[in-house]
Amino acid sequence: MGRDGPLAAARAVLFAQLVDDPSSHPEDFPTEEAQQAERARLHALIERLVVWENIRDEKLFAEAPRGDPQID
C-alpha cells in the first residue's frame, strides 16, 4: 500500500459505517433478493473506494446512496 493507501482505506471504512444495510429499508428493498443485490452493489462500491486512483471519480461518488433526503 502506498503512502496514500491508508487514506483510501479510511474513506472506504467510513462509507461502510455510514451506509445502512438494505434490510433497514424494507420499503426500498422488500425481498431478500433485493437486499442481497443492494448489498452486492454496496460491496462493489467499497472495493472501488479503496483504490487511490478513484479519489476524484465523480461517477463513483454519484453511485453512492444519498441517505435520508430530510438530512441532505
Side-chain angles (χ1 to χ4, degrees):
M1 196 178 282
R3 69 166 215 225
D4 296 319
L7 179 61
R11 185 178 57 226
V13 169
L14 287 171
F15 176 82
Q17 292 294 313
L18 294 171
V19 175
D20 290 336
D21 183 77
S23 64
S24 298
H25 300 282
E27 66 281 357
D28 295 325
F29 309 102
T31 66
E32 182 63 30
E33 293 79 21
Q35 292 170 15
Q36 289 293 350
E38 180 62 2
R39 282 186 196 109
R41 187 185 78 80
L42 293 171
H43 288 154
L45 281 172
I46 292 168
E47 288 175 4
R48 290 168 53 204
L49 283 169
V50 298
V51 177
W52 177 251
E53 290 77 17
N54 290 339
I55 192 160
R56 301 206 190 283
D57 186 344
E58 295 296 324
K59 291 186 340 188
L60 173 60
F61 296 120
E63 293 177 40
R66 293 289 181 216
D68 187 342
Q70 296 177 359
I71 296 173
D72 289 344

